[in-house]
């Protein structure tokens, strides 16, 4: 059954049609959180993921459910294809984006943080690595490594043979493994490092800040041309410390940080004079911060006020 198939037409009774609509709606609602998670993992944008879900819904409404053996797999297939289409559109959009581009942060529930596999796949650090894959590589990696979809199902979703999908998966995994953190860091370890960073920022402790930053730490800030941000990544502990304490001291802003959970990982909601300025996520290695990801673009901060439900199932 092809996802683009039109609904069966004929002399079906309105009640039967209503029953089919009800069944289709129930299936979509039951898997909606999964479909959103798939789309978000592929796109890094909640707004685009929502658009993909709308497109998936419209196509799902045209499917003859009698010919669908696995509704979950079929819905994931539609979502993947629509995400691939959207990825190509986003590529052109990112080429004109002002400054570095970071994924849209999502406030997530505690159960997401408790799922180590899901939390790692949603981390800013890993999602930035996924940005370096081709659209098809990203789709294959996400479906196989994150959602454990079979090679056969992935092949149907990306219009490749299972043999080709295995090769793409191997290539994508090797690429990601070479760029992801060398060792897994628990949420409690990340939280402890983040608390040290937070204390140094709020007390304007330069030395304390330097002590928690790795020598070659990289700061990526995303203002989207709306908020001021570094036009390119800032590398080095001293430069990063000046970015956070030097410039803010000049304007005498009162910096406060609220601990939160973003994309399943500990993060900070940073406020200047009480107003939300941005969301900060970190990458930790050897008890020091090696990566700082600061999203200031107001258009990307709309999903940090209420939790977004995400799931692998």
């Amino acid at each position: 059954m092809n996802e683009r198939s039109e609904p069966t037409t004929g002399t079906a009774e309105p009640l039967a049609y209503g029953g089919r609509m009800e069944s289709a709606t129930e299936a979509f609602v039951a898997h909606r959180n999964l479909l959103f998670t798939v789309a978000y993992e592929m796109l890094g944008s909640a707004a685009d993921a929502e658009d993909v879900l709308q497109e998936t819904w419209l196509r799902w409404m045209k499917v003859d459910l009698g010919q669908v053996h696995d509704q979950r797999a079929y819905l994931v297939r539609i979502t993947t294809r629509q995400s691939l289409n959207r990825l190509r559109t986003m590529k052109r959009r990112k080429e004109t984006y002002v400054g570095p581009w970071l994924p849209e942060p999502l406030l997530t529930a505690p159960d997401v943080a408790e799922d180590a596999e899901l939390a790692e796949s949603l981390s800013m650090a890993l999602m930035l690595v996924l940005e370096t894959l081709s659209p098809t590589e990203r789709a294959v990696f996400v479906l196989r490594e994150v959602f454990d979809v079979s090679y056969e199902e992935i092949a149907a979703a990306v219009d490749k043979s299972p043999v080709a999908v295995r090769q793409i998966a191997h290539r994508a995994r090797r690429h990601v493994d070479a760029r992801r953190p060398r060792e897994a860091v628990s949420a409690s370890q990340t939280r402890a490092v983040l608390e040290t960073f937070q204390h140094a920022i709020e007390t304007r402790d330069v030395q304390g800040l330097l002590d928690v930053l790795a020598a070659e730490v990289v700061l990526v800030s995303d203002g989207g041309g709306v908020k001021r941000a570094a036009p390119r990544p800032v590398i080095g502990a001293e430069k990063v410390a000046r970015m956070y304490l030097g410039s803010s001291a000049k304007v005498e802003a009162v910096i406060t940080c609220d601990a939160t959970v973003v994309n399943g990982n500990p993060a900070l909601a940073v406020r200047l004079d009480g107003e939300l300025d941005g969301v900060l996520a970190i990458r930790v290695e050897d008890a020091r911060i090696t990566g700082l990801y600061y999203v200031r673009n107001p258009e990307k901060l709309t999903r940090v006020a209420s939790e977004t439900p995400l799931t692998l199932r």
Side-chain angles (χ1 to χ4, degrees):
M1 180 73 183
N2 186 284
E3 62 146 286
R4 297 181 178 83
S5 297
E6 295 297 324
T8 302
T9 57
T11 59
E13 295 293 329
L15 184 60
Y17 177 77
R20 185 185 73 79
M21 287 287 290
E22 184 176 350
S23 296
T25 301
E26 288 178 356
F28 185 85
V29 171
H31 297 297
R32 189 189 188 285
N33 291 348
L34 168 67
L35 302 179
F36 178 87
T37 308
V38 169
Y40 176 75
E41 289 261 15
M42 288 184 60
L43 303 172
S45 164
D48 286 284
E50 292 288 3
D51 287 344
V52 162
L53 257 62
Q54 180 64 25
E55 293 160 1
T56 298
W57 163 256
L58 293 174
R59 283 160 176 75
W60 178 240
M61 285 297 97
K62 297 180 180 180
V63 171
D64 181 355
L65 299 185
Q67 298 185 38
V68 177
H69 301 296
D70 186 335
Q71 294 182 344
R72 176 185 181 277
Y74 200 96
L75 281 164
V76 168
R77 185 191 309 175
I78 300 175
T79 300
T80 299
R81 289 184 174 179
Q82 297 311 310
S83 296
L84 280 170
N85 291 339
R86 184 57 61 102
L87 266 177
R88 296 178 181 112
T89 301
M90 290 178 69
K91 182 179 179 182
R92 293 192 293 271
R93 192 195 314 164
K94 289 174 186 176
E95 289 173 352
T96 59
Y97 195 79
V98 179
W101 184 95
L102 287 172
E104 182 178 353
L106 306 179
L107 182 67
T108 46
D111 61 328
V112 175
E114 291 169 4
D115 189 329
E117 185 179 4
L118 178 56
E120 186 203 7
S121 72
L122 290 167
S123 70
M124 287 284 182
L126 185 59
M127 293 197 75
L128 274 182
V129 173
L130 297 184
E131 286 291 315
T132 63
L133 297 173
S134 71
T136 301
E137 287 174 338
R138 183 166 184 168
V140 170
F141 180 88
V142 166
L143 293 178
R144 183 61 187 169
E145 299 298 318
V146 180
F147 297 94
D148 197 29
V149 176
S150 71
Y151 290 113
E152 289 71 22
E153 290 178 5
I154 297 174
V158 301
D159 292 325
K160 302 284 185 182
S161 70
V163 172
V165 166
R166 285 178 182 272
Q167 294 173 339
I168 294 170
H170 176 72
R171 184 169 65 246
R173 189 183 308 116
R174 185 173 56 194
H175 178 93
V176 172
D177 286 345
R179 292 161 177 80
R180 73 198 322 167
R182 296 186 300 275
E183 59 183 39
V185 178
S186 69
S188 60
Q189 291 173 308
T190 301
R191 195 174 299 111
V193 173
L194 200 56
E195 287 174 357
T196 302
F197 175 87
Q198 176 180 350
H199 180 74
I201 289 292
E202 292 182 336
T203 60
R204 301 189 186 278
D205 181 358
V206 177
Q207 188 56 52
L209 187 56
L210 291 173
D211 289 343
V212 78
L213 297 175
E216 295 303 313
V217 62
V218 178
L219 164 66
V220 182
S221 54
D222 179 345
V226 181
K227 282 282 194 77
R228 183 178 179 182
R232 60 187 61 85
V234 178
I235 302 173
E238 291 189 1
K239 290 182 179 179
V240 170
R242 283 200 301 271
M243 285 285 294
Y244 273 100
L245 297 183
S247 60
S248 60
K250 293 176 183 177
V251 297
E252 298 181 349
V254 177
I255 306 174
T256 56
C257 305
D258 300 325
T260 186
V261 178
V262 168
N263 288 39
N265 293 269
L268 294 176
V270 181
R271 301 181 185 279
L272 297 183
D273 294 331
E275 295 293 328
L276 181 65
D277 182 71
V279 169
L280 178 74
I282 64 173
R283 168 174 168 166
V284 176
E285 295 180 75
D286 299 325
R288 291 200 171 197
I289 298 173
T290 58
L292 289 156
Y293 313 102
Y294 194 26
V295 180
R296 298 193 71 204
N297 185 347
E299 296 177 359
K300 292 186 177 183
L301 298 176
T302 61
R303 304 293 286 250
V304 296
S306 59
E307 294 176 356
T308 298
L310 302 170
T311 182
L312 293 177
R313 298 162 188 85

